[in-house]
Amino acid sequence: MPVTIQDVANAAGVSPSTISRALADSPRVKLETRRRVQQLAQEMGYMPSAIARGLATRRTHKLGVVVLALADPFVSELVSYIDQVACQHGYSLLLSSCGDDPQRELAAFNLLRQQRVDAVIVADPSVPERFVPSMKNGESPVVLINKKHYPHSVATDNLAAATLAVNHLLDLGHTRLAYIGSSKNKVESQERLTGYQQTLTQRGMPVDPSLIVEGDGGCQGGWQGAAKLLRLPEPPTAIFCFDDLTAMGAMGAIQATGLSVPGDISVVGCDDIALGQYLSPPLTTVAQYKDQLARLSVEMALSLLHAEQPMPNQLLPARLVLRGSTGCK
Amino acid sequence: MPVTIQDVANAAGVSPSTISRALADSPRVKLETRRRVQQLAQEMGYMPSAIARGLATRRTHKLGVVVLALADPFVSELVSYIDQVACQHGYSLLLSSCGDDPQRELAAFNLLRQQRVDAVIVADPSVPERFVPSMKNGESPVVLINKKHYPHSVATDNLAAATLAVNHLLDLGHTRLAYIGSSKNKVESQERLTGYQQTLTQRGMPVDPSLIVEGDGGCQGGWQGAAKLLRLPEPPTAIFCFDDLTAMGAMGAIQATGLSVPGDISVVGCDDIALGQYLSPPLTTVAQYKDQLARLSVEMALSLLHAEQPMPNQLLPARLVLRGSTGCK
DNA sequence: CTGTTAGCGCTTTCAC
DNA sequence: GTGAAAGCGCTAACAG
């Protein structure tokens, strides 16, 4: 049995309330008593029960984090940042992977509701759209990452991201430029596609529909997408991929046929996962500011809680990272 | 304000206790009442407060998961499995990355204690040893993954893993065989090193100390380790790496100098992270049964809780996965 | 400055 | 088969 506030109160010869106040460093208790109590609590190894405190204050200091696939490097890096920020604010993360099964989705989200998390952050953009409405029913605010169309979100500007990538490739002199999208992230992928198309058009290049194929946001989809492009009578000389995993798969497919990256085909990814720089060749990519996505999403969640002026939706820029897969460096 | 059990009781015209029992499907309440209450609760969108329940039962149905770096693919894949299993048992995961800072470590672990998690699983083998003793003080049982020397653990047999890798390389005809270890995972790395040495000796090969270098369990360490090996007067023709990230880094370094994998040097990793098969060439590796590690660690944690006969420590086998980086397939 | 009193929402004896 | 009452460990008025 853990030490309770009563135990400490008895030991200190004061009432539980005083202990409670002293530990909160309330000025309402005499400095001396405060110090004494604090030290005593420390010595006794007293750990306030977050559970009892939660019941009393109706605030659990827990953030629910919903993801579909934690194993996706972008997602795990993001969650890692979120955890850091949350920790700084005295919050813990309650994880909830909803898997791909609609049944589990609901169960997972209900678990979060039962746990009375103060807010939930949907940290994986591939969490299905159909999952989102059910969240509204909950009483805790929901912040979505990279779903800018929802009430509370912080997202990377996909249009700008695609523009950076395509301009880079165009600057390199490429004229046949493909895009591999993601069926798992329809909206995001569509936005990046739009950026791709707009940029081509703006720079006076034709948009060839046969150069637009769909992956699944993972390596496999990237591989298959690239394989399809390679079978074209006139294959592209550069590929912009929905994300870094797609790009990895694409590079694999290209290299497996004996072609060279970037010698024959240049590849650009998106996200900037940590492993990208260790691929051969290192992956040129459009980086998302994961640290900012994390920080802002936590801050937004917290601001929603404290009913300050509702923090507006955030749209973050992206950053081009030049590496070997487009022949840079 | 969420619907409380009182609300449901009022609506149903029975007492809270009956609601509580009905929802637990207790035979003590008449079948008809039970059904009626269950449906009513459903309709009213009643979600029992895990927090109040936790206070009353002293069981939170939460598992604390301690990791150092969630962004490590092995770790995130593992946690992903743990989440699945935990969910099946009606448990949620409370995440706690302790970062590399000893200060935060303590804070992170204290958070878990305050949250009164039922048990904690240390899911990242690179969580520093010095962190472990402080866990014993907690009142909740602790299960460690891949730290077989601790009271409650489930681990992959590192000796066997290394043996598989080295035998494979030897079978391929290699005679100069290097090992890149990890300074961040001393014990594990030492075990794999022992397996490497024993196997070489058993098969009548010399153990050349200059072929044993240390990485950091990540790509960078792998890169540097391989670079060091390449500068040797007589470089190895095969490298067994502490883990897949190390192997990725090593492959990068080798390929960056214009050498070929596996043409000039074969590389074997360990862990079998999902991305391995999409590298060029795809990575031969010794797979850990991550699903089993996850399942058994959760089951061990739960068994510890329910004070059944304490489940003995588990040692799992490893499995060789042949791919391109050793010229297979 | 400190103590007393009431809950927070649930489970669980113990009665009826 | 169901209800009443106590209590889980804490916080937060309200007194003094």
Side-chain angles (χ1 to χ4, degrees):
Chain A
M1 291 300 97
V3 182
T4 77
I5 203 174
Q6 255 309 346
D7 300 337
V8 184
N10 294 152
V14 295
S15 78
S17 349
T18 301
I19 307 290
S20 178
R21 294 188 191 109
L23 293 176
D25 229 4
S26 153
R28 286 183 49 193
V29 33
K30 204 203 309 177
L31 188 60
E32 189 206 316
T33 330
R34 224 188 298 169
R35 293 278 169 267
R36 189 164 59 85
V37 167
Q38 286 169 355
Q39 191 183 337
L40 187 61
Q42 173 90 38
E43 284 169 14
M44 298 178 67
Y46 170 64
M47 287 279 147
S49 159
I51 217 122
R53 181 177 287 180
L55 226 217
T57 60
R58 298 94 168 298
R59 203 109 285 173
T60 55
H61 283 259
K62 278 179 298 188
L63 254 29
V65 171
V66 177
V67 301
L68 197 155
L70 185 64
D72 180 312
F74 174 70
V75 175
S76 61
E77 290 176 27
L78 190 56
V79 172
S80 194
Y81 279 115
I82 294 178
D83 183 70
Q84 270 179 47
V85 182
C87 190
Q88 286 163 13
H89 290 269
Y91 273 76
S92 300
L93 298 193
L94 204 58
L95 202 62
S96 180
S97 337
C98 56
D100 223 347
D101 174 14
Q103 205 60 40
R104 267 197 73 203
E105 271 173 24
L106 192 59
F109 192 62
N110 281 345
L111 264 187
L112 288 186
R113 294 181 58 189
Q114 295 188 187
Q115 300 283 356
R116 301 292 193 265
V117 294
D118 288 345
V120 0
I121 296 181
V122 180
D124 182 342
S126 56
V127 166
E129 302 285 321
R130 71 184 130 77
F131 189 12
V132 178
S134 75
M135 301 179 192
K136 313 286 158 163
N137 292 329
E139 29 285 301
S140 24
V142 179
V143 173
L144 312 215
I145 291 182
N146 278 355
K147 294 206 184 265
K148 72 173 181 194
H149 299 298
Y150 288 91
H152 307 293
S153 71
V154 8
T156 297
D157 186 341
N158 285 315
L159 213 74
T163 302
L164 283 173
V166 174
N167 270 328
H168 169 54
L169 257 9
L170 255 21
D171 290 346
L172 252 24
H174 290 282
T175 55
R176 283 189 67 71
L177 219 159
Y179 173 67
I180 305 180
S182 166
S183 56
K184 292 248 177 78
N185 309 61
K186 295 256 191 253
V187 180
E188 269 192 294
S189 182
Q190 179 56 52
E191 287 173 4
R192 292 182 190 168
L193 175 59
T194 304
Y196 157 93
Q197 292 167 323
Q198 283 184 1
T199 309
L200 285 181
T201 306
Q202 268 168 27
R203 306 229 351 208
M205 308 290 294
V207 172
D208 178 347
S210 70
L211 291 181
I212 299 172
V213 302
E214 195 163 60
D216 59 6
C219 293
Q220 204 189 346
W223 183 289
Q224 289 167 351
K228 192 166 166 186
L229 292 169
L230 290 172
R231 286 193 302 269
L232 249 31
E234 202 183 343
T237 62
I239 308 179
F240 170 46
C241 299
F242 172 74
D243 64 10
D244 287 346
L245 292 184
T246 302
M248 265 187 79
M251 278 182 28
I254 295 167
Q255 294 172 329
T257 65
L259 293 176
S260 138
V261 177
D264 298 298
I265 301 186
S266 286
V267 174
V268 178
C270 189
D271 286 355
D272 192 28
I273 62 177
L275 298 181
Q277 62 179 304
Y278 289 100
L279 298 177
S280 301
L283 185 63
T284 289
T285 192
V286 181
Q288 299 198 48
Y289 290 95
K290 292 180 284 258
D291 51 347
Q292 298 303 313
L293 289 172
R295 190 175 58 74
L296 290 169
S297 60
V298 171
E299 286 174 2
M300 185 177 289
L302 263 30
S303 88
L304 251 25
L305 258 186
H306 301 118
E308 302 161 5
Q309 65 286 25
M311 184 168 150
N313 277 8
Q314 305 287 123
L315 197 60
L316 301 182
R319 181 183 82 248
L320 188 63
V321 178
L322 301 177
R323 289 198 281 247
S325 68
T326 55
C328 302
K329 274 207 226 162
Chain B
M1 291 299 96
V3 181
T4 77
I5 203 173
Q6 255 310 347
D7 299 336
V8 184
N10 295 151
V14 295
S15 77
S17 346
T18 302
I19 307 290
S20 177
R21 295 188 189 108
L23 293 177
D25 230 5
S26 154
R28 287 184 49 195
V29 33
K30 204 203 308 176
L31 188 60
E32 189 205 316
T33 330
R34 224 188 298 171
R35 292 278 170 267
R36 190 165 56 86
V37 167
Q38 287 169 354
Q39 192 184 334
L40 188 61
Q42 173 90 40
E43 286 169 11
M44 298 178 64
Y46 170 64
M47 287 277 148
S49 158
I51 216 124
R53 181 178 287 180
L55 190 53
T57 60
R58 303 75 183 300
R59 202 113 278 177
T60 55
H61 284 261
K62 278 180 297 188
L63 253 30
V65 172
V66 178
V67 301
L68 196 156
L70 184 64
D72 180 314
F74 174 71
V75 174
S76 62
E77 289 177 29
L78 190 55
V79 172
S80 193
Y81 280 114
I82 293 177
D83 184 70
Q84 270 179 49
V85 182
C87 190
Q88 286 164 14
H89 290 269
Y91 273 77
S92 301
L93 298 192
L94 204 59
L95 202 63
S96 182
S97 339
C98 54
D100 223 348
D101 174 14
Q103 205 59 42
R104 269 197 72 202
E105 271 173 24
L106 192 61
F109 191 62
N110 281 343
L111 263 188
L112 288 185
R113 294 181 59 189
Q114 295 188 184
Q115 299 284 356
R116 301 293 194 262
V117 294
D118 288 345
V120 358
I121 296 181
V122 179
D124 183 343
S126 55
V127 167
E129 302 285 322
R130 71 184 129 78
F131 189 11
V132 178
S134 75
M135 302 178 190
K136 311 287 158 165
N137 293 328
E139 29 283 306
S140 24
V142 179
V143 173
L144 311 218
I145 292 183
N146 278 356
K147 295 207 183 261
K148 72 173 182 197
H149 299 298
Y150 288 90
H152 307 293
S153 71
V154 8
T156 297
D157 186 341
N158 285 315
L159 213 74
T163 302
L164 283 174
V166 174
N167 271 328
H168 169 54
L169 258 8
L170 255 21
D171 291 347
L172 252 23
H174 291 282
T175 55
R176 283 190 66 71
L177 219 158
Y179 173 66
I180 304 180
S182 166
S183 56
K184 291 248 176 81
N185 308 62
K186 294 254 191 259
V187 180
E188 270 193 293
S189 183
Q190 179 57 51
E191 287 172 5
R192 291 182 191 169
L193 175 58
T194 304
Y196 158 93
Q197 292 167 323
Q198 283 184 0
T199 310
L200 285 180
T201 307
Q202 269 168 26
R203 307 235 341 214
M205 308 290 292
V207 172
D208 178 348
S210 70
L211 291 181
I212 299 173
V213 300
E214 194 163 60
D216 59 5
C219 293
Q220 204 190 345
W223 183 290
Q224 289 167 351
K228 190 166 169 185
L229 292 169
L230 290 173
R231 285 193 302 268
L232 250 32
E234 203 182 345
T237 61
I239 308 179
F240 170 46
C241 299
F242 172 73
D243 64 9
D244 287 347
L245 292 185
T246 302
M248 264 187 79
M251 277 182 28
I254 296 167
Q255 294 172 329
T257 66
L259 294 175
S260 139
V261 178
D264 298 299
I265 302 185
S266 286
V267 174
V268 178
C270 189
D271 287 354
D272 192 28
I273 62 177
L275 299 180
Q277 63 180 302
Y278 290 100
L279 297 177
S280 300
L283 184 64
T284 289
T285 192
V286 182
Q288 300 198 48
Y289 291 95
K290 292 179 283 256
D291 52 346
Q292 298 304 314
L293 288 171
R295 191 175 57 74
L296 290 169
S297 59
V298 171
E299 287 173 2
M300 185 177 290
L302 262 32
S303 89
L304 252 24
L305 258 186
H306 301 118
E308 302 162 3
Q309 66 284 26
M311 183 170 152
N313 277 8
Q314 305 287 123
L315 198 60
L316 302 182
R319 181 182 83 249
L320 189 63
V321 178
L322 300 177
R323 290 198 281 247
S325 68
T326 54
C328 303
K329 274 210 224 155

